[in-house]
Each structure stands twice: as structure tokens, then as C-alpha cells.
């Protein structure tokens, strides 16, 4: 059963979400028959199945399954069990992706309080919820609040995880993006330039996240009115994307499109 679960997960990770869902559904039937409907492995498969439905684009199905799972996990495992907390996180995530950012905020704020109490403020899951909460504030239009949360998160991640951890880099990227959304383009450029320097040093110049920072930096220079600088950056990025990913990769094509728009 464990091997079947792993196999389904790897199909999903490889992009064959339909196959992953099919395998998880068959596995769930067998786990329910053999282990029982309340066994932790059965509940875990229900969680995986729900999340892959979401990844497949059937967000309403994912929400329904996660809501049912949460109702079963809470009395079975207890409200403070790590799996119950993760299911609450998933519910907030998919409700947010369904367009209900306000409810996602409400759920994540309650979850954050409980995680801080149960797991502690420095636990990875607690930090993840803080990141999610900042994201949903941004999606709800409160960019100032999002910036405030990302700045505090970045400070704590640097202390707990270190300045070069991928999650610390992610917080810096999100913080720079929010400054751009708030209209402070110069601040966003400053943050992306520093991020790009550190990502190049740690991840390497050809890492996807390094490319993403370069793309964002070029776009911001265009937004700031420095079209020549934006063209220069996009041209260099296009050359490197073509070399690493190939001329037909979606990111390469997007960069060509952005470059063509600036040249019009």
C-alpha cells in the first residue's frame, strides 16, 4: 500500500495528475477495506486525493473533499494533530484559489494562532502559514499589510533558516513583488537586484528562480520608464533561456513576447 501511495504521488509530481488521481482513488478503496476508514494512512490518502483534484483544476471538488476530511480528522485525530492542522491549511489554500481570499485570511489567521501555540513560532509549518497569510492579504488587495507580514517573515526566516535558504529567498521575492504592486517600483528594483545577486551566488546563474528574478527586474525597469534598460535585460535573458531551456520553452517564448512589446 505504501508503494502504491508513493507511485501515485510521483505520477502527480511528474505532471500526470489524472493518473495520480486514478491511483489514489483505487488505493483509497483498498485502504478503507483493509485498514479501515479511520486509519491514518487512509486519511492521508484522502488528503492527497483532494489536493491532486485541486491541482487538476477541480478546485470545488478539492474543497468538498478537504472539508469532509477535516470533519473526520478533528474527532478522530484531535484538533491539535499535525495532520488536522495541515488539512486546515489546505482548505484555506483552495478557498483562496477559488477566489475567496477573505475566507482564506480568516482561516489562516486562526490556524496561525493554533500552530504558534502547538508547534511553536519557529516551526516550518508556522512559517509557511505566515507566508500564505501574507500572500492572501496581497490577493485581497491589502498590499501594505502583505508587505508588513513579508518583512517580518523575512526577518524571522533569516534568523531561523539562514539568509540563503530557499524559503528566505521566496519571502524576499514576494516582498519585492508587493513593493512593485504598491507602486514603489524603485524599491522593488532595489530588492530584486539584491535578490538576483544572492541567487546567482547560491543557486547559480541558470537556476529557474534566478531567471525569474531577472525577468521581474527587466519588467520593473520597463514599468519605471527605462525602456532601454528593460530591453537590454530581456535580450540577455532571452539568450540565456534559449541556451538553457531551448527556443520553444514557454518561458523563452514569454520573454520574446515581452521583448517584442517593448520594441513596438
Amino acid at each position: 500500500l505504501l508503494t502504491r501511495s508513493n507511485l501515485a504521488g510521483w505520477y502527480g509530481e511528474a505532471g500526470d495528475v489524472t493518473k495520480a488521481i486514478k491511483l489514489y482513488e483505487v488505493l483509497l478503496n483498498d485502504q478503507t477495506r483493509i485498514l479501515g476508514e479511520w486509519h491514518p494512512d487512509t486519511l492521508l490518502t484522502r488528503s492527497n486525493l483532494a489536493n491532486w483534484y485541486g491541482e487538476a483544476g477541480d478546485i470545488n471538488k478539492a474543497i468538498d473533499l478537504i472539508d469532509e476530511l477535516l470533519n473526520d480528522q478533528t474527532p478522530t485525530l484531535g484538533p491539535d494533530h499535525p495532520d488536522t492542522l495541515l488539512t486546515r491549511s489546505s482548505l484555506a489554500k483552495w478557498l483562496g484559489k477559488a477566489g475567496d481570499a477573505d475566507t482564506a485570511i480568516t482561516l489562516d489567521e486562526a490556524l496561525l494562532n493554533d500552530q504558534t501555540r502547538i508547534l511553536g513560532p519557529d516551526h516550518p509549518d508556522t512559517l509557511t502559514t505566515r507566508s500564505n497569510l501574507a500572500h492572501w492579504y496581497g490577493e485581497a488587495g491589502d498590499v501594505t499589510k502583505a508587505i508588513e507580514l513579508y518583512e517580518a517573515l523575512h526577518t524571522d526566516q533569516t534568523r531561523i533558516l539562514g539568509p540563503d535558504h530557499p524559503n528566505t529567498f521566496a519571502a524576499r521575492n514576494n516582498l519585492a513583488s508587493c513593493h512593485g504592486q504598491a507602486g514603489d517600483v524603485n524599491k522593488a528594483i532595489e530588492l530584486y537586484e539584491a535578490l538576483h545577486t544572492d541567487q546567482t551566488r547560491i543557486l547559480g546563474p541558470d537556476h529557474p528562480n534566478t531567471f525569474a528574478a531577472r525577468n521581474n527586474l527587466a519588467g520593473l525597469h520597463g514599468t519605471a520608464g527605462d525602456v532601454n534598460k528593460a530591453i537590454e535585460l530581456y535580450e540577455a535573458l532571452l539568450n540565456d533561456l534559449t541556451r538553457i531551456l531551448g527556443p520553444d520553452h514557454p518561458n523563452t517564448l514569454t520573454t520574446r513576447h515581452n521583448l517584442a512589446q517593448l520594441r513596438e
Side-chain angles (χ1 to χ4, degrees):
L1 295 177
L2 178 59
T3 300
R4 290 169 61 186
S5 178
N6 292 336
L7 181 61
W10 285 119
Y11 267 109
E13 293 296 332
D16 194 344
V17 180
T18 301
K19 180 70 171 180
I21 289 172
K22 181 179 179 180
L23 291 176
Y24 274 127
E25 285 179 336
V26 175
L27 175 62
L28 178 59
N29 287 333
D30 290 341
Q31 284 177 322
T32 302
R33 175 175 54 83
I34 299 167
L35 303 176
E37 59 181 327
W38 307 118
H39 191 279
D41 290 351
T42 308
L43 296 174
L44 178 60
T45 296
R46 289 174 61 186
S47 176
N48 291 332
L49 181 59
N51 282 297
W52 283 118
Y53 266 112
E55 294 296 336
D58 195 345
I59 295 178
N60 289 332
K61 177 72 170 179
I63 291 171
D64 288 343
L65 291 177
I66 291 170
D67 200 31
E68 292 173 3
L69 175 61
L70 184 59
N71 288 334
D72 290 338
Q73 280 179 323
T74 302
T76 303
L77 302 178
D80 294 344
H81 191 280
D83 290 350
T84 306
L85 297 176
L86 285 175
T87 300
R88 290 171 61 186
S89 179
S90 294
L91 183 59
K93 169 187 173 180
W94 292 116
L95 283 169
K97 286 184 176 292
D100 194 351
D102 290 335
T103 299
I105 289 170
T106 300
L107 293 179
D108 272 336
E109 284 180 336
L111 175 61
L112 180 59
N113 287 334
D114 290 338
Q115 285 176 323
T116 302
R117 172 178 56 84
I118 299 162
L119 305 176
D122 296 343
H123 191 279
D125 291 351
T126 307
L127 296 176
T128 296
T129 297
R130 289 175 62 186
S131 178
N132 294 338
L133 186 58
H135 170 76
W136 293 123
Y137 267 109
E139 290 295 313
D142 193 345
V143 182
T144 301
K145 180 68 173 179
I147 289 173
E148 174 190 334
L149 294 176
Y150 276 130
E151 285 178 340
L153 175 63
H154 173 241
T155 298
D156 289 339
Q157 283 178 324
T158 301
R159 172 178 57 84
I160 299 163
L161 305 175
D164 298 334
H165 191 278
N167 291 354
T168 308
F169 281 151
R172 291 173 64 184
N173 177 80
N174 293 332
L175 181 58
S177 176
C178 283
H179 275 290
Q181 292 175 39
D184 193 349
V185 179
N186 290 331
K187 180 67 173 179
I189 289 173
E190 174 189 337
L191 293 175
Y192 270 124
E193 284 178 340
L195 176 61
H196 172 244
T197 298
D198 290 338
Q199 284 179 324
T200 301
R201 173 176 57 85
I202 300 298
L203 305 177
D206 298 335
H207 191 278
N209 291 351
T210 308
F211 284 145
R214 291 173 63 185
N215 177 75
N216 293 334
L217 192 54
L220 285 165
H221 275 289
T223 300
D226 193 348
V227 177
N228 290 333
K229 180 67 173 179
I231 289 174
E232 174 189 338
L233 293 175
Y234 273 131
E235 285 178 338
L237 177 61
L238 180 60
N239 288 335
D240 289 338
L241 288 173
T242 302
R243 173 176 57 86
I244 299 298
L245 303 179
D248 298 330
H249 190 277
N251 291 355
T252 308
L253 296 175
T254 296
T255 301
R256 287 175 61 189
H257 174 73
N258 293 337
L259 186 57
Q261 283 190 317
L262 287 172
R263 286 173 169 167
E264 287 180 354

